[in-house]
Amino acid sequence: MPELPEVEVSRLGIAPALEGNLIERVIVRQPMLRWPVAAEVIALQQQPVQAVRRRAKYLLIDVPQGSIIVHLGMSGHLKIVPSSTPPLKHDHVDWVLADGRSLRLNDSRRFGAVLWQDPLQSHVLLTALGPEPLTDDFDGALLFERCQSRSSAIKLVLMDNHVVVGVGNIYANEALFKARIRPTTPARQLSLAQCTVLAAVVKQTLAAAITQGGTTLKDFSDASGKAGYFKQELLVYGRGGQPCLHCHTPLDEIRLGQRSTVFCPQCQPTP
DNA sequence: ATATCCACCTGGCGGC
DNA sequence: TGCCGCCAGGTGGATA
């Protein structure tokens, strides 16, 4: 999926078209995503959009009756298109706007979701989430504290939504390389100083990726259909076996929690 | 609580 | 050209 930067790039792209606009109706071509598209969303008519927010990798589109929750899964992307545009394969949901355009969700793997949140409530999927990485709620001290009870590899802990949200496989690999920490290091073995560096590079990496329009591996694009440029700045992800950009040692690639994990055996030493 | 593994689904790639 | 296995940006849920 889109990780946090790609979701934020989507939010930035769709918000200007949605906010202050009216959702006239919703067209569902394929209701079976990760869960069935929520009935409350399908029934929406003539609803003004008040705001488009993001929490972790969830987008929240606020209307007077509540909030539409959109998750992009692994392959989802959102576009703003003229409503007359013929739907393509995997264009599962359209939100038809009053100005002749539509918000269109395409998701080939259907790991994404379209859910509903009642006003003044938090959907159950959003209640147990950890802090947002790009706010002051997340810092080295918090990361260090949450690592104390964890013997798992730091990469798995960094990707655990209870610890911090939004860090997926690409950016976990990138941040650990920048922090010079081996992904397999048991989390509780990290020092406060290492956690402070790690939290800082997580913020820096995510923020830079947002600026670059996100990372497009194959099917991510922003609301206008443009691919992201951050792929050019990836230091280790997808580069297993190739030389480290710092020391030229071939990068190691292993599996951690069934996810591809790349690191430099020289620059990211075992503790 | 924590840790591990599986599931969902489509598509692209390499190998034979 | 075709078939097969493997891999891919996520994460809830079942199981020890």
Side-chain angles (χ1 to χ4, degrees), chain A residues 16-83:
Chain A
L18 290 177
E19 289 172 356
N21 210 334
L22 198 68
I23 295 173
E24 287 190 332
R25 64 196 177 99
V26 182
I27 299 172
V28 178
R29 302 184 189 83
Q30 167 57 273
M32 292 311 296
L33 304 182
R34 179 167 190 179
W35 295 282
V37 174
E40 293 92 333
V41 175
I42 298 174
L44 288 177
Q45 284 187 350
Q46 308 299 330
Q47 289 286 304
V49 176
Q50 297 157 318
V52 182
R53 297 178 291 139
R54 179 187 58 73
R55 172 71 174 113
K57 297 173 190 169
Y58 297 93
L59 287 168
L60 295 127
I61 301 170
D62 296 335
V63 296
Q65 290 181 3
S67 300
I68 304 162
I69 298 176
V70 178
H71 194 286
L72 299 177
M74 288 278 257
S75 55
H77 48 276
L78 291 164
K79 278 212 295 196
I80 299 290
V81 298
S83 298

Side-chain angles (χ1 to χ4, degrees), chain A residues 80-93:
Chain A
I80 299 290
V81 298
S83 298
S84 58
T85 310
L88 301 171
K89 197 172 184 183
H90 307 305
D91 278 344
H92 302 316
V93 182

Side-chain angles (χ1 to χ4, degrees), chain A residues 124-135:
Chain A
V124 61
L125 291 178
L126 306 186
T127 53
L129 295 173
E132 286 289 329
L134 293 176
T135 68

